[in-house]
Amino acid sequence: SLLVVHFWAPWAPQCTQMNDVMAELAKEHPQVSFVKLEAEAVPEVSEKYEISSVPTFLFFKNSQKIDRLDGAHAPELTKKVQRHASSASFPPSANELLKEDLSLRLKKLTHAAPCMLFMKGTPQEPRCGFSKQMVEILHKHNIQFSSFDIFSDEEVRQGLKTYSNWPTYPQLYVSGELIGGLDIIKELEASEELDTICPKAPKLEERLKVLTNKASVMLFMKGNKQEAKCGFSKQILEILNTTGVEYETFDILEDEEVRQGLKAYSNWPTYPQLYVKGELVGGLDIVKELKENGELLPILRGEN
């Protein structure tokens, strides 16, 4: 039978919401056992199962841990409960199909980007020392990579070890082929082979050139079209919306490299910044002046 354990904390509102979701699932799946454990009340259990945040759900079958879900994701919890509850009575042939499905999924994941890192946590928040070192090496060499947090999916975490015949994490793949773990990457770095194997991130200037030309009219602002996050950005949006001209936005709060780099690239120290066909028009004051002079619309249309 399937056992779902919710590691929760009474002070976290998202845990209370997920308890309600669990109560509904218990009604739908009477054959599944649902248990709540207060994470801070059982520190030795939380430590054993690497519970670093709440809510976290662990799935057990025949006393074996088979899956994990970190975070308050009601649809994902429902999906996992349905999948594991229904797989309880699968004949062996169906289990073989599941293995085949996982193999296809792992193939897609390892090919998801030219350079893929399977790690504990994210590049912004690595959750083990080896993953942290790996990210630092890749960043130092300006290597462009995507990552997958193996804590977010127990099926991938266990399956990839068999798929690649590599028992530990992190694991680095280039064009879907396993390069290796941290020790191998350190060796490749020492022999100066790493730079020839992994794809480089575009230099900042090239990236800014691409971004400023992404649309005919590009606005670099705090926030986006739907929600400006400063008064100046809000005012410039209101002006652009009156022109009826199509434009794209980039939220500089989402990317510190772009936020700082664009100031030097365009020699303009503040935001928002408006570009037409890759050329800087200016900030809010200039856009206001152009509107008052009747020059804004021809500039936005590329007529001037």
Side-chain angles (χ1 to χ4, degrees), residues 60-72:
F60 294 86
K61 204 173 274 184
N62 304 324
S63 304
Q64 294 292 312
K65 188 176 79 161
I66 56 163
D67 206 347
R68 175 189 185 112
L69 175 65
D70 291 82

Side-chain angles (χ1 to χ4, degrees), residues 7 11 31 35 53 69 79 87 110 158 169 179 211 223 243:
F7 286 83
W11 45 262
Q31 78 281 22
V35 174
S53 62
L69 175 65
K79 211 190 303 177
S87 69
T110 54
Q158 300 306 333
Y169 290 99
I179 303 300
L211 280 173
T243 64

Side-chain angles (χ1 to χ4, degrees), residues 76-261:
E76 194 60 27
L77 178 64
T78 306
K79 211 190 303 177
K80 283 181 183 284
V81 169
Q82 285 169 345
R83 188 169 83 230
H84 293 306
S86 60
S87 69
S89 57
F90 276 170
S93 58
N95 281 331
E96 291 304 315
L97 282 173
L98 278 177
K99 276 183 194 167
E100 193 179 319
D101 284 349
L102 176 60
S103 189
L104 282 172
R105 194 170 160 230
L106 293 173
K107 188 176 181 181
K108 277 185 188 169
L109 280 173
T110 54
H111 285 82
C115 187
M116 275 296 294
L117 176 64
F118 292 80
M119 62 180 289
K120 293 180 178 180
T122 63
Q124 294 75 29
E125 283 186 51
R127 284 168 66 183
C128 84
F130 300 130
S131 292
K132 185 169 185 279
Q133 286 181 63
M134 179 78 95
V135 167
E136 284 168 356
I137 290 170
L138 296 177
H139 281 324
K140 186 169 87 179
H141 287 263
N142 194 32
I143 288 164
Q144 188 169 25
F145 67 98
S146 295
S147 68
F148 185 94
D149 180 1
I150 53 141
F151 280 149
S152 69
D153 194 313
E154 191 66 17
E155 190 178 51
V156 169
R157 181 182 184 174
Q158 300 306 333
L160 198 59
K161 293 177 187 177
T162 310
Y163 177 84
S164 59
N165 195 23
W166 195 270
T168 58
Y169 290 99
Q171 294 181 14
L172 187 71
Y173 292 75
V174 172
S175 303
E177 294 292 321
L178 175 70
I179 303 300
L182 180 62
D183 289 344
I184 302 261
I185 299 308
K186 281 181 173 176
E187 282 173 28
L188 290 170
E189 183 186 30
S191 66
E192 298 183 357
E193 290 175 76
L194 187 63
D195 291 323
T196 62
I197 291 169
C198 299
K200 291 283 190 177
K203 289 195 168 64
L204 180 58
E205 194 166 326
E206 289 166 22
R207 195 173 162 225
L208 295 173
K209 190 174 181 183
V210 169
L211 280 173
T212 53
N213 283 279
K214 191 180 169 195
S216 181
V217 180
M218 276 297 294
L219 176 65
F220 292 80
M221 61 178 287
K222 293 179 180 178
N224 53 42
K225 274 187 189 180
Q226 289 72 39
E227 187 191 359
K229 289 185 179 167
C230 84
F232 300 132
S233 292
K234 186 168 184 282
Q235 286 180 62
I236 207 165
L237 279 183
E238 286 166 356
I239 292 170
L240 290 177
N241 288 339
T242 62
T243 64
V245 171
E246 290 285 315
Y247 65 95
E248 293 283 324
T249 62
F250 184 96
D251 184 357
I252 52 128
L253 298 176
E254 296 283 316
D255 194 316
E256 192 61 23
E257 186 182 54
V258 170
R259 181 180 186 172
Q260 300 306 333

Side-chain angles (χ1 to χ4, degrees), residues 254-298:
E254 296 283 316
D255 194 316
E256 192 61 23
E257 186 182 54
V258 170
R259 181 180 186 172
Q260 300 306 333
L262 198 60
K263 293 177 188 177
Y265 177 82
S266 59
N267 196 22
W268 194 271
T270 58
Y271 290 99
Q273 293 182 17
L274 184 69
Y275 290 75
V276 173
K277 295 185 177 170
E279 295 291 324
L280 176 70
V281 174
L284 177 62
D285 289 343
I286 288 184
V287 170
K288 277 181 174 174
E289 277 177 36
L290 292 170
K291 190 190 176 196
E292 282 163 19
N293 299 341
E295 295 175 62
L296 181 61
L297 201 51

